[in-house]
Amino acid sequence: MWVNPLLQELIDAAQSEQTSRAIRIVCTILVSLLYLIGLACLFLLVFVIEGQGLFIRGFFLVMGIIVLADYLKFLKALVRRKKP
């Protein structure tokens, strides 16, 4: 429940022009760590843990793909902001 507002504030700080470069780097690293931990957990649930049904594995796989797409969107926004 508290992760979503925290993540959104970190993303906003990482993309903001008003924050210092060091703060943007730290926020980007924290956001990346949260996304990568979430991705690793979801994909471990799909491919490593046995005894789950096909529906549950498919659900976790779709969730992992959604998180991956959101993370790539975040990285694309960072790269696009730095180029101009």
Side-chain angles (χ1 to χ4, degrees), residues 50-69:
E50 296 181 17
Q52 296 177 352
L54 185 61
F55 178 75
I56 298 296
R57 285 180 184 239
F59 176 73
F60 287 130
L61 182 63
V62 169
M63 293 280 291
I65 291 171
I66 290 170
V67 170
L68 179 64

Side-chain angles (χ1 to χ4, degrees), residues 11-47:
I11 289 171
D12 291 342
Q15 294 175 345
S16 176
E17 291 288 332
Q18 298 173 349
T19 58
S20 68
R21 186 170 189 257
I23 298 297
R24 285 195 309 255
I25 290 171
V26 168
C27 289
T28 302
I29 290 170
L30 288 174
V31 169
S32 294
L33 282 174
L34 285 173
Y35 271 118
L36 294 176
I37 289 170
L39 281 170
C41 290
L42 286 170
F43 287 126
L44 282 174
L45 283 170
V46 171
F47 297 114

